[in-house]
Amino acid sequence: MDSRPIDPVVRDADHEQRDRAKKAAIAGGVGTLIEYYDFSLYGYLAIIMAPLFFHAESAATSLLSALAVFGTAYLMRPLGGLAFGYIGDKFGRRRALLGTLMCMGIGSVAMGLLPTYEQAGVWAVVLLVTIRLLQGFSAGGEVGGSATLISESAPSHLKATYAAFTPLGSTLGFGLAAASAGAVSLITTDEQMNSWGWRLPFLLALPLMLVCLWARRRVDETYLPDETAVRDRPLLTLFRTHSRAVTQAVGLSLAINGTAYICLTYMSIHLTKTLGYDRTAVYWISCLVLVISALGMLVGGRLGDRFGRVRITAVSLVFISAIAYPAMAAMNLNLLTAAILYLLMMLSTVGIQVGVLTLMPLLFDQNVRFTGVATSYNVGVIIAGGSAPLIAVSLVEWTGDDRAPAYFVIVTAAIGLLSLFSVTRKSAVSDRHSAT
């Protein structure tokens, strides 16, 4: 065994890099938490907000209208990814990530101050859609930017360990949104919740945004473009030199969003509207499931670095494909069974989220990395993420089968597997660990 002492210079450099990586991971994870708290609140409160903003003949029609507005935010995500990717690749990652936070925070506070249809008529709907578009624009730069910043800060042999903080933050954001909605639902009557209670979780975004801005201002910049990079056009360079990587990354994004968003945004609707379980209980179950799954991201990151990013992603995709249909079939037995199966499905996405968000930044060169990750990720989001709850509800309505959303999970997982197998060994690994 080599007993030579470690060079102090090497040791100090490694310590300094780990400190930078921890700071970036915390700033990226906390920022993503706040972003996805703001972004997902609408999904959790859609059942309450639907009749307040959409007057329709049936509750189902109002809900579908509200979910369609949820989906419109995703139309802006590719544009947000392009805009913030441009800023991140030409002027630095930190500046872009501060911008995403401010846009999202302002949008959420505005959402909490919206007039209802009864108060403002069709203008209430117009304002609602406008704010959701702003939130979608902001979210378009968040995950790609956070994943890029963390990847560039992390040691090569710990890429997945630190990359786990991005899905940790996004999942905790969904959990915090569920907890916020559940807390307000618990302390208010149905009349109060429908009148003013639904506004409170949105207004909480302001102090959360201020805390996160403080954290992100302290992070070290990971990319300072030279004059050549500043003159480049990141999007044109991306498609000219990285078309294969973009195709691979879009397929991986379809998988991560198609599998995760069924759990993140549709499951609470499924348990309350389709299966008839108590709304407040479902909010708290969702919160617990998401918190456990978020903490599981840290374990998933360690496993990814230990066994390989491609391997952990592939195993997770196969597993969720196998359990999706039987799990949804058994959720109507009782609430406890539904909660356990919901947790199992959500945990099965841990390896997918950690693996994909580790792999995607490694597919692109640094000068187009932010643009490449954000653009590819958002194409997958708009197809399989924002549409997930709408497609799921529609599948149940069209087929009369409560288990029909499982087919959506299986199809997107299969696309992810095909894309994963096309990822080359060279592009998928660090200089120390195999991806397979």
Side-chain angles (χ1 to χ4, degrees), residues 26 226 250 311:
I26 292 171
D226 57 24
V250 168
R311 184 176 289 122

Side-chain angles (χ1 to χ4, degrees), residues 19-71:
D19 282 345
R20 285 199 305 268
K22 289 177 183 178
K23 191 184 298 184
I26 292 171
V30 170
T32 305
L33 184 153
I34 305 306
E35 284 268 345
Y36 277 81
Y37 167 82
D38 294 345
F39 193 70
S40 64
L41 268 177
Y42 182 88
Y44 285 111
L45 297 172
I47 293 177
I48 297 169
M49 295 176 67
L52 298 177
F53 288 89
F54 302 96
H55 285 201
E57 296 180 358
S58 68
T61 303
S62 293
L63 179 59
L64 285 172
S65 298
L67 291 177
V69 172
F70 180 84

Side-chain angles (χ1 to χ4, degrees), residues 238-239 242-251 364 372 375-376:
L238 174 69
F239 284 101
H242 291 73
S243 57
R244 176 181 171 84
V246 169
T247 302
Q248 293 169 331
V250 168
F364 301 96
T375 300
S376 304

Side-chain angles (χ1 to χ4, degrees), residues 67 70-71 74 261-262 380-393 408:
L67 291 177
F70 180 84
Y74 289 83
Y261 266 80
I262 285 293
V381 168
I382 196 174
I383 296 173
S387 63
L390 182 60
I391 290 175
V393 170
F408 179 74

Side-chain angles (χ1 to χ4, degrees), residues 14 17-18 21-22 25 150-151 153-165 301-302 304-306 309 354 358 362 430-433:
D14 183 66
Q17 185 178 28
R18 284 176 180 253
K22 289 177 183 178
I150 294 172
S151 181
S153 302
S156 58
H157 62 290
L158 294 174
K159 294 289 187 186
T161 297
Y162 288 108
F165 279 80
R302 289 290 186 180
D305 283 324
R306 174 66 179 82
R309 298 84 184 254
V354 171
T358 305
L362 302 178
S430 71
D431 58 4
R432 231 181 120 173
H433 283 267

Side-chain angles (χ1 to χ4, degrees), residues 18-373:
R18 284 176 180 253
D19 282 345
R20 285 199 305 268
K22 289 177 183 178
K23 191 184 298 184
I26 292 171
V30 170
T32 305
L33 184 153
I34 305 306
E35 284 268 345
Y36 277 81
Y37 167 82
D38 294 345
F39 193 70
S40 64
L41 268 177
Y42 182 88
Y44 285 111
L45 297 172
I47 293 177
I48 297 169
M49 295 176 67
L52 298 177
F53 288 89
F54 302 96
H55 285 201
E57 296 180 358
S58 68
T61 303
S62 293
L63 179 59
L64 285 172
S65 298
L67 291 177
V69 172
F70 180 84
T72 61
Y74 289 83
L75 298 176
M76 291 296 291
R77 287 189 64 143
L79 294 179
L82 292 175
F84 289 112
Y86 179 88
I87 295 171
D89 284 332
K90 289 179 75 69
F91 305 108
R93 318 308 193 196
R94 187 173 62 175
R95 186 178 300 183
L97 288 171
L98 289 172
T100 64
L101 273 177
M102 294 188 67
C103 286
M104 182 65 77
I106 291 170
S108 292
V109 173
M111 184 79 73
L113 299 175
L114 273 177
T116 63
Y117 187 91
E118 186 176 305
Q119 296 167 327
V122 70
W123 284 107
V125 179
V126 172
L127 290 172
L128 175 65
V129 173
T130 301
I131 292 171
R132 283 300 293 171
L133 292 176
L134 175 63
Q135 289 186 317
F137 183 82
S138 169
E142 178 58 34
V143 170
S146 176
T148 297
L149 179 74
I150 294 172
S151 181
E152 292 176 345
S153 302
S156 58
H157 62 290
L158 294 174
K159 294 289 187 186
T161 297
Y162 288 108
F165 279 80
T166 297
L168 167 67
S170 62
T171 306
L172 276 181
F174 277 96
L176 182 60
S180 179
V184 175
S185 179
L186 182 64
I187 65 176
T188 60
T189 64
D190 287 345
E191 182 179 353
Q192 290 171 330
M193 188 68 172
N194 293 331
S195 176
W196 52 265
W198 64 272
R199 299 179 183 274
L200 299 181
F202 290 109
L203 298 177
L204 182 61
L206 180 59
L208 293 176
M209 178 187 70
L210 295 176
V211 170
C212 187
L213 284 173
W214 172 81
R216 282 204 167 163
R217 286 180 64 86
R218 297 177 66 247
V219 75
D220 295 329
E221 181 58 75
T222 61
Y223 179 55
L224 296 173
D226 57 24
E227 292 184 5
T228 301
V230 170
R231 290 196 300 269
D232 283 344
R233 298 179 180 180
L235 185 61
L236 294 178
T237 304
L238 174 69
F239 284 101
R240 186 174 64 247
T241 61
H242 291 73
S243 57
R244 176 181 171 84
V246 169
T247 302
Q248 293 169 331
V250 168
L252 293 174
S253 179
L254 287 170
I256 190 176
N257 288 289
T259 56
Y261 266 80
I262 285 293
C263 298
L264 293 171
T265 61
Y266 171 70
M267 200 58 70
S268 62
I269 295 173
H270 181 70
L271 296 178
T272 54
K273 177 181 177 295
T274 306
L275 301 184
Y277 293 122
D278 178 71
R279 183 178 68 198
T280 301
V282 169
Y283 279 146
W284 287 109
I285 287 171
S286 297
C287 176
L288 181 61
V289 165
L290 296 177
V291 168
I292 293 172
S293 301
L295 296 177
M297 300 295 174
L298 300 177
V299 178
R302 289 290 186 180
L303 293 175
D305 283 324
R306 174 66 179 82
F307 297 106
R309 298 84 184 254
V310 169
R311 184 176 289 122
I312 191 175
T313 308
V315 169
S316 300
L317 287 169
V318 171
F319 184 73
I320 196 170
S321 299
I323 69 166
Y325 190 86
M328 297 199 74
M331 282 184 179
N332 63 356
L333 295 177
N334 54 65
L335 186 57
L336 177 60
T337 300
I340 294 171
L341 294 172
Y342 179 13
L343 176 61
L344 181 62
M345 286 187 66
M346 190 64 215
L347 285 174
S348 69
T349 72
V350 167
I352 303 169
Q353 295 187 66
V354 171
V356 168
L357 291 174
T358 305
L359 291 170
M360 288 183 70
L362 302 178
L363 297 174
F364 301 96
D365 293 336
Q366 192 174 34
N367 64 316
V368 295
R369 185 169 292 146
F370 198 130
T371 301
V373 176

